Amino acid sequence: MKTKQLKEYEIELPLKYSAMYYYNTKLYILGGRADKNYSKIPSSKVVSIDINEFELTKPVKSTILSHEVNPVKNIE
């Protein structure tokens, strides 16, 4: 947020529809489901990633966000 940069990293987790949370310098990836051979298997896994690991990893994609704020327009 401070640098106005959005960086995208790849991670090899065979999960879809997981939730991601940030707490105490860690990202937590919870749940989701694994799709295997026409089956949809719910996952109870919790994966944690220390934010400091991103300093050792090269981003796949990086975007600099605009400094402008676009106001939301109400549709009447």
Coordinates of all heavy atoms in Angstrom, one line a residue:
M1 N 0.8 -1.2 0.0 CA 0.0 0.0 0.0 C 0.9 1.3 0.0 O 0.6 2.2 -0.7 CB -0.9 0.0 1.2 CG -1.9 -1.1 1.2 SD -3.1 -0.8 -0.1 CE -4.5 -1.4 0.6
K2 N 1.9 1.3 0.8 CA 2.7 2.5 0.9 C 3.5 2.8 -0.4 O 3.7 3.9 -0.7 CB 3.7 2.3 2.0 CG 3.1 2.3 3.4 CD 4.2 2.1 4.5 CE 3.5 1.9 5.8 NZ 4.5 1.6 6.9
T3 N 3.9 1.7 -1.1 CA 4.7 1.9 -2.3 C 3.8 2.0 -3.6 O 4.3 2.3 -4.7 CB 5.7 0.8 -2.5 OG1 4.9 -0.4 -2.7 CG2 6.6 0.6 -1.4
K4 N 2.5 1.8 -3.4 CA 1.5 1.9 -4.6 C 1.9 0.8 -5.6 O 1.7 1.1 -6.8 CB 1.5 3.3 -5.2 CG 1.1 4.4 -4.2 CD -0.3 4.3 -3.8 CE -0.6 5.5 -2.9 NZ -1.8 5.3 -2.2
Q5 N 2.4 -0.3 -5.2 CA 2.8 -1.4 -6.1 C 1.9 -2.6 -5.8 O 1.7 -2.9 -4.6 CB 4.2 -1.8 -6.0 CG 5.2 -0.7 -6.5 CD 6.6 -1.2 -6.4 OE1 6.9 -2.3 -6.0 NE2 7.5 -0.4 -6.9
L6 N 1.5 -3.3 -6.9 CA 0.8 -4.5 -6.7 C 1.7 -5.6 -7.4 O 2.0 -5.5 -8.6 CB -0.5 -4.5 -7.4 CG -1.4 -5.7 -7.4 CD1 -1.8 -6.1 -6.0 CD2 -2.6 -5.5 -8.3
K7 N 2.1 -6.6 -6.6 CA 3.0 -7.6 -7.1 C 2.3 -9.0 -7.0 O 1.6 -9.3 -6.0 CB 4.3 -7.7 -6.2 CG 5.2 -6.4 -6.4 CD 6.4 -6.5 -5.6 CE 7.2 -5.3 -5.7 NZ 8.4 -5.4 -4.8
E8 N 2.5 -9.7 -8.1 CA 1.8 -11.0 -8.2 C 2.9 -12.1 -8.1 O 3.9 -12.1 -8.8 CB 1.1 -11.1 -9.5 CG 0.3 -12.4 -9.7 CD -0.5 -12.3 -11.0 OE1 -1.0 -11.3 -11.4 OE2 -0.5 -13.4 -11.7
Y9 N 2.6 -13.1 -7.2 CA 3.6 -14.2 -7.1 C 2.8 -15.5 -7.4 O 1.6 -15.7 -7.1 CB 4.1 -14.3 -5.6 CG 4.9 -13.1 -5.2 CD1 4.3 -11.9 -4.7 CD2 6.3 -13.1 -5.4 CE1 5.0 -10.8 -4.3 CE2 7.0 -12.0 -5.0 CZ 6.4 -10.9 -4.5 OH 7.1 -9.8 -4.1
E10 N 3.6 -16.5 -7.8 CA 3.0 -17.9 -8.1 C 3.2 -18.7 -6.9 O 4.3 -18.7 -6.2 CB 3.6 -18.5 -9.3 CG 3.0 -18.0 -10.6 CD 3.4 -18.9 -11.8 OE1 3.7 -20.1 -11.6 OE2 3.4 -18.3 -12.9
I11 N 2.3 -19.6 -6.6 CA 2.4 -20.5 -5.5 C 1.7 -21.8 -6.0 O 0.7 -21.8 -6.6 CB 1.8 -20.0 -4.2 CG1 2.0 -21.0 -3.1 CG2 0.3 -19.7 -4.4 CD1 1.6 -20.5 -1.7
E12 N 2.3 -22.9 -5.7 CA 1.8 -24.2 -6.2 C 0.9 -24.8 -5.1 O 1.3 -25.6 -4.3 CB 2.9 -25.1 -6.6 CG 3.6 -24.7 -7.8 CD 4.6 -25.7 -8.3 OE1 4.4 -26.9 -8.2 OE2 5.7 -25.2 -8.9
L13 N -0.4 -24.4 -5.1 CA -1.4 -25.1 -4.3 C -2.5 -25.5 -5.2 O -3.1 -24.7 -5.8 CB -1.9 -24.1 -3.2 CG -1.0 -23.7 -2.1 CD1 -1.7 -22.6 -1.2 CD2 -0.7 -24.9 -1.3
P14 N -2.8 -26.8 -5.2 CA -3.9 -27.3 -6.1 C -5.3 -27.0 -5.5 O -6.1 -27.9 -5.4 CB -3.6 -28.8 -6.2 CG -2.9 -29.1 -4.9 CD -2.2 -27.9 -4.5
L15 N -5.5 -25.8 -5.1 CA -6.8 -25.4 -4.5 C -7.5 -24.3 -5.2 O -6.9 -23.5 -5.8 CB -6.6 -25.0 -3.0 CG -6.0 -26.0 -2.1 CD1 -5.6 -25.3 -0.8 CD2 -6.9 -27.1 -1.8
K16 N -8.8 -24.4 -5.2 CA -9.7 -23.3 -5.7 C -10.6 -22.8 -4.6 O -10.9 -23.5 -3.7 CB -10.6 -23.9 -6.9 CG -9.8 -24.3 -8.1 CD -10.8 -24.8 -9.1 CE -10.1 -25.1 -10.4 NZ -11.0 -25.5 -11.5
Y17 N -11.0 -21.5 -4.7 CA -12.0 -20.9 -3.8 C -11.5 -20.9 -2.4 O -12.3 -20.9 -1.4 CB -13.3 -21.6 -3.9 CG -13.8 -21.8 -5.3 CD1 -13.8 -23.1 -5.9 CD2 -14.1 -20.7 -6.1 CE1 -14.2 -23.2 -7.3 CE2 -14.5 -20.8 -7.4 CZ -14.6 -22.1 -8.0 OH -14.9 -22.2 -9.3
S18 N -10.2 -20.8 -2.2 CA -9.7 -20.6 -0.8 C -9.8 -19.2 -0.3 O -10.0 -18.3 -1.1 CB -8.2 -21.0 -0.8 OG -8.0 -22.3 -1.2
A19 N -9.7 -19.0 1.0 CA -9.8 -17.7 1.6 C -8.3 -17.3 2.0 O -7.6 -18.2 2.4 CB -10.7 -17.6 2.8
M20 N -8.0 -16.0 2.0 CA -6.7 -15.6 2.4 C -6.8 -14.5 3.4 O -7.6 -13.5 3.2 CB -5.9 -15.1 1.2 CG -4.5 -14.7 1.5 SD -3.4 -14.5 0.1 CE -4.2 -13.3 -0.9
Y21 N -6.0 -14.6 4.5 CA -6.0 -13.6 5.5 C -4.6 -13.2 5.9 O -3.7 -14.0 5.7 CB -6.7 -14.2 6.8 CG -8.1 -14.6 6.6 CD1 -8.5 -15.8 6.2 CD2 -9.1 -13.6 6.7 CE1 -9.8 -16.2 6.0 CE2 -10.5 -13.9 6.5 CZ -10.8 -15.2 6.1 OH -12.1 -15.6 5.9
Y22 N -4.4 -12.0 6.4 CA -3.1 -11.5 6.8 C -3.2 -11.2 8.3 O -4.1 -10.6 8.8 CB -2.8 -10.2 6.1 CG -1.5 -9.6 6.5 CD1 -0.3 -10.0 6.2 CD2 -1.6 -8.5 7.4 CE1 0.9 -9.4 6.6 CE2 -0.4 -7.9 7.9 CZ 0.8 -8.4 7.5 OH 1.9 -7.8 7.9
Y23 N -2.2 -11.7 9.1 CA -2.1 -11.5 10.5 C -0.7 -11.7 11.0 O -0.1 -12.7 10.6 CB -3.0 -12.4 11.3 CG -3.0 -12.2 12.7 CD1 -3.6 -11.1 13.3 CD2 -2.4 -13.1 13.6 CE1 -3.6 -10.9 14.7 CE2 -2.3 -13.0 14.9 CZ -2.9 -11.8 15.5 OH -2.9 -11.6 16.9
N24 N -0.1 -10.7 11.7 CA 1.2 -10.8 12.3 C 2.3 -11.2 11.3 O 3.0 -12.2 11.5 CB 1.2 -11.8 13.4 CG 1.1 -11.2 14.8 OD1 1.1 -9.9 14.9 ND2 1.1 -12.0 15.8
T25 N 2.4 -10.5 10.2 CA 3.4 -10.7 9.2 C 3.3 -12.0 8.4 O 4.3 -12.5 7.9 CB 4.9 -10.5 9.6 OG1 5.2 -11.6 10.5 CG2 5.1 -9.2 10.3
K26 N 2.1 -12.7 8.5 CA 1.9 -13.9 7.8 C 0.6 -13.9 7.0 O -0.4 -13.3 7.4 CB 1.9 -15.1 8.7 CG 3.2 -15.4 9.3 CD 3.2 -16.8 10.0 CE 4.5 -17.1 10.6 NZ 4.6 -18.4 11.2
L27 N 0.7 -14.5 5.8 CA -0.5 -14.7 5.0 C -1.0 -16.1 5.3 O -0.2 -17.1 5.4 CB -0.2 -14.7 3.5 CG 0.0 -13.3 2.9 CD1 0.3 -13.4 1.4 CD2 -1.2 -12.4 3.1
Y28 N -2.3 -16.3 5.5 CA -2.9 -17.6 5.8 C -3.9 -17.9 4.7 O -4.7 -17.1 4.3 CB -3.6 -17.6 7.1 CG -2.7 -17.4 8.3 CD1 -2.4 -16.2 8.8 CD2 -2.1 -18.6 8.9 CE1 -1.6 -16.0 9.9 CE2 -1.3 -18.4 10.0 CZ -1.0 -17.2 10.5 OH -0.1 -17.0 11.5
I29 N -3.7 -19.1 4.1 CA -4.6 -19.6 3.0 C -5.4 -20.7 3.6 O -4.8 -21.7 4.1 CB -3.9 -20.0 1.8 CG1 -3.0 -18.8 1.3 CG2 -4.8 -20.5 0.7 CD1 -2.0 -19.1 0.2
L30 N -6.7 -20.6 3.7 CA -7.6 -21.5 4.3 C -8.6 -22.2 3.4 O -9.2 -21.5 2.6 CB -8.4 -20.9 5.5 CG -7.6 -20.2 6.5 CD1 -7.7 -18.7 6.4 CD2 -8.1 -20.7 7.9
G31 N -8.8 -23.5 3.6 CA -9.8 -24.2 2.9 C -9.8 -24.2 1.4 O -8.7 -24.3 0.8
G32 N -10.9 -24.2 0.8 CA -11.0 -24.3 -0.6 C -11.4 -25.7 -1.0 O -11.9 -26.5 -0.2
R33 N -11.2 -26.0 -2.3 CA -11.4 -27.4 -2.7 C -10.4 -27.8 -3.8 O -9.8 -26.9 -4.5 CB -12.8 -27.5 -3.3 CG -13.0 -27.0 -4.7 CD -14.4 -27.4 -5.2 NE -14.4 -27.1 -6.6 CZ -15.4 -26.5 -7.3 NH1 -16.5 -26.2 -6.6 NH2 -15.3 -26.3 -8.5
A34 N -10.2 -29.0 -3.9 CA -9.3 -29.6 -4.9 C -10.1 -30.4 -5.9 O -11.0 -31.2 -5.5 CB -8.3 -30.6 -4.2
D35 N -9.9 -30.1 -7.2 CA -10.6 -30.8 -8.3 C -9.7 -31.8 -8.8 O -8.7 -31.6 -9.3 CB -11.0 -29.8 -9.4 CG -12.0 -28.7 -8.9 OD1 -12.6 -28.9 -7.8 OD2 -12.3 -27.8 -9.6
K36 N -10.2 -33.1 -8.7 CA -9.4 -34.2 -9.2 C -10.3 -35.2 -9.9 O -11.3 -35.7 -9.3 CB -8.7 -35.0 -8.0 CG -7.7 -34.2 -7.3 CD -7.0 -35.0 -6.3 CE -6.0 -34.2 -5.5 NZ -5.3 -35.0 -4.5
N37 N -10.0 -35.5 -11.2 CA -10.7 -36.5 -11.9 C -12.2 -36.5 -11.7 O -12.8 -37.4 -11.3 CB -10.2 -37.9 -11.6 CG -8.7 -38.1 -11.9 OD1 -8.2 -37.4 -12.8 ND2 -8.0 -38.9 -11.1
Y38 N -12.8 -35.4 -12.0 CA -14.3 -35.2 -12.0 C -14.8 -35.2 -10.5 O -16.0 -35.3 -10.3 CB -15.0 -36.3 -12.8 CG -14.6 -36.4 -14.2 CD1 -13.8 -37.5 -14.6 CD2 -14.9 -35.4 -15.1 CE1 -13.3 -37.6 -15.9 CE2 -14.4 -35.5 -16.4 CZ -13.6 -36.6 -16.8 OH -13.2 -36.7 -18.1
S39 N -13.9 -35.1 -9.5 CA -14.3 -35.0 -8.1 C -14.0 -33.6 -7.6 O -13.0 -33.0 -8.0 CB -13.6 -36.0 -7.3 OG -14.0 -37.3 -7.7
K40 N -14.8 -33.1 -6.7 CA -14.6 -31.8 -6.0 C -14.4 -32.1 -4.5 O -15.4 -32.4 -3.9 CB -15.7 -30.9 -6.3 CG -15.8 -30.5 -7.8 CD -17.0 -29.7 -8.1 CE -17.0 -29.5 -9.6 NZ -18.2 -28.7 -10.0
I41 N -13.2 -32.1 -4.0 CA -12.9 -32.5 -2.7 C -12.7 -31.3 -1.8 O -11.7 -30.5 -2.1 CB -11.7 -33.5 -2.6 CG1 -11.9 -34.7 -3.6 CG2 -11.4 -33.9 -1.2 CD1 -10.7 -35.4 -3.9
P42 N -13.5 -31.1 -0.8 CA -13.2 -29.9 0.1 C -11.9 -30.1 0.9 O -11.5 -31.2 1.2 CB -14.4 -29.9 1.1 CG -15.3 -31.0 0.7 CD -14.6 -31.8 -0.4
S43 N -11.2 -29.0 1.1 CA -10.0 -29.0 1.8 C -10.1 -28.3 3.2 O -10.7 -27.3 3.3 CB -8.9 -28.3 1.0 OG -7.7 -28.1 1.8
S44 N -9.5 -29.0 4.2 CA -9.5 -28.4 5.5 C -8.1 -27.8 5.9 O -7.8 -27.5 7.0 CB -9.9 -29.4 6.6 OG -9.0 -30.5 6.6
K45 N -7.2 -27.7 4.8 CA -5.8 -27.3 5.0 C -5.7 -25.8 5.4 O -6.6 -25.0 4.9 CB -5.0 -27.5 3.8 CG -4.7 -29.0 3.5 CD -3.8 -29.1 2.2 CE -3.6 -30.6 1.9 NZ -2.7 -30.7 0.8
V46 N -4.7 -25.5 6.1 CA -4.3 -24.1 6.4 C -2.9 -24.0 6.1 O -2.0 -24.7 6.6 CB -4.6 -23.7 7.9 CG1 -4.1 -22.3 8.2 CG2 -6.0 -23.9 8.3
V47 N -2.5 -23.1 5.2 CA -1.1 -22.8 4.8 C -0.8 -21.5 5.2 O -1.5 -20.5 5.0 CB -1.0 -23.0 3.2 CG1 0.4 -22.7 2.8 CG2 -1.4 -24.3 2.8
S48 N 0.4 -21.3 5.8 CA 0.9 -20.0 6.2 C 2.2 -19.7 5.5 O 3.0 -20.5 5.3 CB 1.1 -19.9 7.8 OG 2.2 -20.7 8.1
I49 N 2.3 -18.4 5.1 CA 3.5 -17.9 4.4 C 4.0 -16.7 5.1 O 3.2 -15.7 5.2 CB 3.1 -17.6 2.9 CG1 2.5 -18.8 2.2 CG2 4.4 -17.1 2.2 CD1 1.9 -18.5 0.9
D50 N 5.2 -16.7 5.5 CA 5.8 -15.5 6.2 C 6.0 -14.4 5.1 O 6.6 -14.7 4.0 CB 7.1 -15.9 6.8 CG 7.6 -14.8 7.8 OD1 7.7 -13.6 7.3 OD2 7.9 -15.1 8.9
I51 N 5.6 -13.2 5.4 CA 5.8 -12.1 4.4 C 7.2 -11.9 4.0 O 7.5 -11.5 2.9 CB 5.2 -10.8 5.0 CG1 3.7 -11.0 5.1 CG2 5.5 -9.6 4.2 CD1 3.0 -11.1 3.8
N52 N 8.2 -12.2 4.9 CA 9.6 -12.0 4.6 C 10.1 -12.9 3.4 O 11.1 -12.6 2.8 CB 10.4 -12.2 5.8 CG 10.2 -11.2 6.9 OD1 9.9 -10.0 6.6 ND2 10.2 -11.6 8.1
E53 N 9.4 -14.0 3.2 CA 9.7 -14.8 2.1 C 9.6 -14.2 0.7 O 10.2 -14.5 -0.3 CB 8.9 -16.1 2.1 CG 9.3 -17.0 3.2 CD 8.7 -18.4 3.1 OE1 8.6 -18.9 2.0 OE2 8.3 -19.0 4.2
F54 N 8.7 -13.2 0.6 CA 8.5 -12.5 -0.6 C 9.7 -11.6 -1.0 O 9.9 -11.3 -2.2 CB 7.2 -11.6 -0.6 CG 6.0 -12.4 -0.5 CD1 5.2 -12.4 0.6 CD2 5.6 -13.1 -1.6 CE1 4.1 -13.2 0.7 CE2 4.4 -13.9 -1.6 CZ 3.6 -13.9 -0.4
E55 N 10.6 -11.3 -0.1 CA 11.8 -10.6 -0.4 C 12.8 -11.5 -1.1 O 13.6 -11.0 -1.8 CB 12.4 -10.0 0.9 CG 11.6 -8.9 1.6 CD 12.2 -8.5 2.9 OE1 13.4 -8.8 3.1 OE2 11.5 -7.8 3.6
L56 N 12.6 -12.8 -0.9 CA 13.5 -13.7 -1.6 C 13.0 -14.3 -2.9 O 13.6 -15.1 -3.5 CB 13.8 -14.9 -0.6 CG 14.3 -14.5 0.8 CD1 14.4 -15.7 1.7 CD2 15.7 -13.9 0.7
T57 N 11.8 -13.9 -3.2 CA 11.0 -14.4 -4.4 C 10.8 -13.3 -5.4 O 10.5 -12.2 -5.1 CB 9.7 -14.9 -3.9 OG1 9.9 -15.9 -2.9 CG2 9.0 -15.7 -5.1
K58 N 11.0 -13.7 -6.7 CA 10.8 -12.8 -7.8 C 9.3 -12.8 -8.2 O 8.7 -13.8 -8.4 CB 11.6 -13.2 -9.0 CG 11.6 -12.3 -10.2 CD 12.4 -12.7 -11.3 CE 12.3 -11.8 -12.5 NZ 13.1 -12.2 -13.6
P59 N 8.7 -11.6 -8.3 CA 7.3 -11.5 -8.7 C 7.1 -11.9 -10.1 O 8.0 -11.7 -11.0 CB 6.9 -10.1 -8.4 CG 8.2 -9.3 -8.3 CD 9.2 -10.3 -8.0
V60 N 6.0 -12.5 -10.4 CA 5.6 -12.9 -11.8 C 5.2 -11.7 -12.6 O 5.4 -11.5 -13.7 CB 4.5 -13.9 -11.8 CG1 4.0 -14.3 -13.1 CG2 4.9 -15.2 -11.0
K61 N 4.5 -10.8 -11.9 CA 4.0 -9.6 -12.5 C 4.0 -8.4 -11.4 O 3.7 -8.7 -10.3 CB 2.5 -9.8 -13.0 CG 1.9 -8.7 -13.7 CD 0.5 -9.2 -14.2 CE -0.2 -8.1 -14.9 NZ -1.6 -8.5 -15.3
S62 N 4.3 -7.2 -11.9 CA 4.3 -6.1 -11.0 C 3.6 -4.9 -11.7 O 3.8 -4.6 -12.9 CB 5.7 -5.7 -10.6 OG 5.8 -4.7 -9.7
T63 N 2.7 -4.2 -10.9 CA 2.0 -3.1 -11.5 C 2.1 -1.9 -10.5 O 2.0 -2.1 -9.3 CB 0.5 -3.4 -11.7 OG1 0.4 -4.6 -12.5 CG2 -0.3 -2.3 -12.3
I64 N 2.3 -0.7 -11.0 CA 2.3 0.5 -10.2 C 0.9 1.1 -10.3 O 0.4 1.4 -11.4 CB 3.4 1.5 -10.6 CG1 4.8 0.9 -10.5 CG2 3.3 2.8 -9.9 CD1 5.9 1.7 -10.8
L65 N 0.3 1.3 -9.1 CA -1.1 1.8 -9.1 C -1.1 3.3 -9.2 O -0.1 4.0 -8.8 CB -1.7 1.4 -7.8 CG -1.7 -0.1 -7.5 CD1 -2.2 -0.4 -6.1 CD2 -2.6 -0.9 -8.5
S66 N -2.1 3.8 -9.8 CA -2.3 5.2 -9.9 C -2.4 5.9 -8.6 O -3.0 5.4 -7.7 CB -3.5 5.5 -10.8 OG -3.8 6.8 -10.8
H67 N -1.9 7.1 -8.5 CA -2.1 7.9 -7.3 C -3.4 8.6 -7.2 O -3.8 9.1 -6.2 CB -1.0 9.0 -7.2 CG 0.4 8.4 -7.1 ND1 0.7 7.3 -6.2 CD2 1.6 8.7 -7.7 CE1 2.0 7.0 -6.3 NE2 2.5 7.8 -7.2
E68 N -4.1 8.6 -8.3 CA -5.5 9.2 -8.4 C -6.5 8.3 -7.7 O -6.5 7.1 -7.8 CB -5.9 9.5 -9.8 CG -4.9 10.5 -10.5 CD -5.4 10.7 -12.0 OE1 -6.5 10.4 -12.3 OE2 -4.5 11.1 -12.7
V69 N -7.5 9.0 -7.1 CA -8.6 8.3 -6.5 C -9.8 8.6 -7.4 O -10.2 9.8 -7.5 CB -8.8 8.6 -5.1 CG1 -10.0 7.9 -4.5 CG2 -7.6 8.3 -4.2
N70 N -10.5 7.6 -7.9 CA -11.7 7.8 -8.7 C -12.9 7.7 -7.8 O -13.1 6.7 -7.2 CB -11.8 6.8 -9.9 CG -10.7 6.9 -10.8 OD1 -10.2 8.0 -11.1 ND2 -10.2 5.8 -11.4
P71 N -13.7 8.8 -7.7 CA -14.8 8.8 -6.9 C -15.9 7.8 -7.5 O -16.0 7.7 -8.7 CB -15.3 10.2 -6.8 CG -14.8 10.8 -8.1 CD -13.5 10.1 -8.4
V72 N -16.6 7.2 -6.6 CA -17.7 6.3 -7.0 C -18.9 7.1 -7.4 O -19.3 8.0 -6.6 CB -18.1 5.3 -5.9 CG1 -19.3 4.4 -6.3 CG2 -16.9 4.5 -5.5
K73 N -19.5 6.9 -8.6 CA -20.7 7.6 -9.0 C -21.9 6.8 -8.7 O -22.0 5.6 -9.0 CB -20.6 7.9 -10.5 CG -19.4 8.8 -10.9 CD -19.4 9.1 -12.4 CE -18.2 10.0 -12.7 NZ -18.1 10.2 -14.1
N74 N -22.9 7.5 -8.2 CA -24.2 6.8 -7.9 C -25.0 6.7 -9.2 O -25.0 7.7 -10.0 CB -25.0 7.6 -6.9 CG -24.4 7.5 -5.5 OD1 -23.7 6.5 -5.2 ND2 -24.6 8.5 -4.8
I75 N -25.6 5.6 -9.5 CA -26.4 5.4 -10.7 C -27.9 5.6 -10.2 O -28.3 5.0 -9.3 CB -26.2 4.0 -11.3 CG1 -24.8 3.8 -11.7 CG2 -27.2 3.8 -12.4 CD1 -24.4 2.4 -12.2
E76 N -28.6 6.5 -10.9 CA -29.9 6.8 -10.5 C -30.9 6.2 -11.4 O -30.7 6.0 -12.5 CB -30.1 8.3 -10.4 CG -29.3 8.9 -9.3 CD -29.5 10.4 -9.2 OE1 -30.5 10.9 -9.7 OE2 -28.6 11.1 -8.7

